[in-house]
Amino acid sequence: MDKLTIRDADVAGKRVFVRVDFNVPLADGRVTDDSRIRAAIPTILTLVQAGAKVILASHLGRPNGKVSDSLRLRPVGQRLTELLRRNVPVTGDALGLGTEDALKRMRPGEILLLENLRFHAEEEANDPAFAATLASYADIFVNDAFGSAHRAHASTVGIAKILPAYAGLLMERELTMLSKLLEAPERPFAAILGGAKVSDKLKVIDHLITKVDLLVLGGGMANTFLLAQGKAIGKSLAEPDRVQDAQRILAKAERNKVRVVLPVDVIVAKEVTRGTEYKTLQAEKIPASWHIVDLGKASQDLMVDALSNVKTVFWNGPLGVFEIPSFAHGTNAVARLLADRAEHGATVVIGGGDSVASITQQGLADKMTHISTGGGASLEFLEGRDLPGVSVLLDRPKEPKPARAPKPKAATPVKPAAAKARPAQTAAAAAAKATAKAAATKTPAKHAVKAATKPAATKPAATKPAATKPAATKPAPKGGAKGLAKASTKPAAAKASAKPAAKAARKPAVAKAAAKPAAKAGTKPAATVVTKPGSTGRTAKADGKPPTKQAATKQAATKRTPTKPTATKTKAAGSRARTEKRS
Ligand code: ADP
Ligand code: MG
């Protein structure tokens, strides 16, 4: 992961604003599925144990900028209190004097949950003043809300431009798992896409088709593909205006030698309801009055067989109307197969609210490698797009290239290592220079060599003696790349005034190669070999955007909070080599 995480931050005694995704289902004032709350616990406990004051903030539902009593976070606070066995009070509002008082009273290790952020329209509008107020609550920002990372809101993007911004542990895990799918999947690699609407998933299919060996399509969205093949689908859910897209995708799959598996037989029902009449038919000529609602047995067998040797799978979208048990057979059969594949060492990643619900319903969630907490976010990530809530987090400084020059032998005249590395202008050279300078005139060569071969960023800041000083009081590194080694381990160190200089200095000198193992194709079964046009000639590029002006927000931010120093904008893992534009 190329973003700094809470492990890199010195949080002891600090006020830490943690954006979590507690957008959970509620019924009768109780949380009915607490998976998203549980998923945030590692981050919360890590911060609590490190002595931070933990300010949690989330949205819940769509109150559209108005207070809605049914969307208050109190049930979430109660569930969190039970899970953590610590009191988690919830404020009556995300803003206001009561909240400010509660914040002032917080002691290290305590937790406070702010009321639903979306009671304020300014949240979704990414209003700078609202973001500045949220930022004024804290010294450090942590984003653990992967499920909201595709939204540029005040609590995901606005605040992260003001405070030093780190990824939480859930965010880290999500990005690591999803990046693995795009960057180094073990093969054969399959994508299974189902669910209701093909239009929601066209972009992700378009992108994944350049990555996978096998594409399995089911659910309502497969109907549009059946239409594209000239088949009659009766009254089934479909998007006729997407037939051309479906045809284009099928042609692209053929060009890329990706095997596409579509239903060959289907369960059709008179109505999409419980207790309706239903039967199995070939997926060719569905009579006009019937709806496709599930895979037939032959389709299940075909898909299970096609997936039987996969090493990596991404699944989004149920393969039938799984909410009705009679129409959940296809979804269940594939889920059982995937649980088995995961138990045999395959990487199985599942995203999408309904997909996850179907797997949880079968008690198979624990067997999968990774259940993503973000449906939309995981799809956007796999479309190859930058997620705004991720891009804005602090970048992990690139590992310096090891100095190429051999170590000086004792007999040869010793040149300072820093000088040797200089011509290459690598980050290592900069690190060497900075460390050597810091060590004054004691043993410059020795220190420099050490710095050049050991990337500063791989050392957790917390292990460095200097990191025990309050980060905000540390002066900014002055002057270009010289400050790199120090600043890279102490992201909270720079003063606001040093921001532009620090930014320029931290543009990575060497772009990270997004190399794909070239030998992979050789290991694939002949029938599913894919040629990936997108996989060659991929170039990494740093995002050379000028620093964003935060005039309105800076004023509030600089009063109380350090400005993040490592604001270099490189692209998020997994998307750095692609050319798609962010939405
Ligand atoms: P996810 O939430 O996992 O991303 P979607 O929201 O895209 O999945 O789709 C889930 C919905 O698709 C479910 O409500 C399911 O009933 C519906 N669905 C699946 N197959 C069909 C079908 N053949 N006809 C109508 N709806 C379907
Ligand atoms: Mg859904």
Side-chain angles (χ1 to χ4, degrees), residues 303-389:
M303 290 178 186
V304 164
D305 182 62
L307 291 162
S308 62
N309 69 339
V310 289
K311 295 268 172 53
T312 308
V313 190
F314 172 71
W315 183 11
N316 172 287
L319 304 179
V321 184
F322 77 100
E323 296 92 336
I324 300 173
S326 309
F327 309 144
H329 298 296
T331 304
N332 292 352
V334 169
R336 282 194 301 273
L337 184 269
L338 295 187
D340 180 68
R341 292 307 305 144
E343 282 190 325
H344 286 85
T347 300
V348 180
V349 179
I350 296 171
D354 292 294
S355 316
V356 173
S358 77
I359 283 162
T360 308
Q361 193 175 293
Q362 286 184 81
L364 294 175
D366 290 348
K367 297 208 167 20
M368 308 300 179
T369 317
H370 181 63
I371 301 282
S372 180
T373 51
S378 64
L379 287 183
E380 284 200 19
F381 187 91
L382 294 176
E383 283 167 18
R385 294 184 356 189
D386 284 337
L387 304 182

Side-chain angles (χ1 to χ4, degrees), residues 41 46 88 127 142 167 174 184 196 269 273 311 343 398 431 447 449 467 554:
I41 285 179
T46 302
V88 182
D127 178 77
V142 171
E174 291 273 11
T273 51
K311 295 268 172 53
E343 282 190 325
K398 299 275 179 253
H447 276 78
V449 168
K554 223 171 201 171

Side-chain angles (χ1 to χ4, degrees), residues 10-224:
D10 175 16
V11 300
K14 301 266 172 59
R15 300 167 304 160
V16 182
F17 187 107
V18 188
R19 176 58 158 100
V20 282
D21 182 357
F22 287 166
N23 185 29
V24 293
L26 298 176
D28 302 325
R30 289 196 67 81
V31 175
T32 54
D33 177 355
D34 64 3
S35 353
R36 281 182 163 170
I37 303 176
R38 288 173 184 273
I41 285 179
T43 293
I44 298 171
L45 282 183
T46 302
L47 293 170
V48 163
Q49 281 155 10
K53 300 172 187 173
V54 182
I55 305 149
L56 302 174
S58 178
H59 74 279
L60 176 62
R62 295 184 177 177
N64 294 322
K66 293 198 182 77
V67 176
S68 160
D69 283 332
S70 63
L71 294 176
R72 289 199 176 272
L73 281 167
R74 215 168 69 92
V76 172
Q78 276 168 354
R79 187 70 194 118
L80 196 54
T81 298
E82 287 161 20
L83 290 168
L84 292 172
R85 296 201 189 91
R86 285 166 192 271
N87 186 30
V88 182
V90 187
T91 63
D93 186 355
L95 305 182
L97 288 178
T99 298
E100 282 168 27
D101 277 352
L103 288 163
K104 272 187 209 131
R105 286 197 302 272
M106 282 182 86
R107 284 175 309 192
E110 287 186 350
I111 308 168
L112 182 69
L113 175 58
L114 302 184
E115 184 54 283
N116 194 344
L117 293 167
R118 289 195 189 166
F119 287 174
H120 297 271
E122 293 87 345
E123 160 65 359
E124 289 184 78
N126 192 10
D127 178 77
F130 184 71
T133 305
L134 298 181
S136 74
Y137 295 168
D139 308 301
I140 288 173
F141 172 68
V142 171
N143 193 344
D144 214 23
F146 175 73
S148 306
H150 57 316
R151 308 280 183 226
H153 294 168
S155 68
T156 58
V157 169
I159 187 172
K161 289 183 173 172
I162 303 170
L163 294 177
Y166 297 84
L169 301 178
L170 171 62
M171 178 70 87
E172 179 188 35
R173 178 165 163 73
E174 291 273 11
L175 296 174
T176 303
M177 291 309 303
L178 293 168
S179 307
K180 246 171 92 177
L181 296 181
L182 293 182
E183 287 172 0
E186 229 193 310
R187 296 186 179 278
F189 174 21
I192 307 169
L193 291 156
K197 283 160 76 187
V198 77
S199 48
D200 288 349
K201 321 237 164 143
L202 274 173
K203 285 194 199 130
V204 79
I205 300 176
D206 246 330
H207 193 62
L208 286 178
I209 218 156
T210 66
K211 309 278 175 191
V212 298
D213 306 299
L214 170 67
L215 179 64
V216 173
L217 300 175
M221 66 102 102
N223 299 339
T224 304

Side-chain angles (χ1 to χ4, degrees), residues 1-3 179 182-183 381 384-386 395-396 398 510-515 538-543 570-580:
M1 232 253 310
D2 61 0
K3 294 291 171 181
S179 307
L182 293 182
E183 287 172 0
F381 187 91
R385 294 184 356 189
D386 284 337
D395 289 309
R396 181 171 297 287
K398 299 275 179 253
V510 185
K512 199 171 155 191
R538 300 160 97 204
T539 50
K541 63 174 177 132
D543 182 346
T570 51
K571 295 206 164 187
S575 54
R576 87 175 52 86
R578 284 171 293 280
T579 52
E580 283 90 338

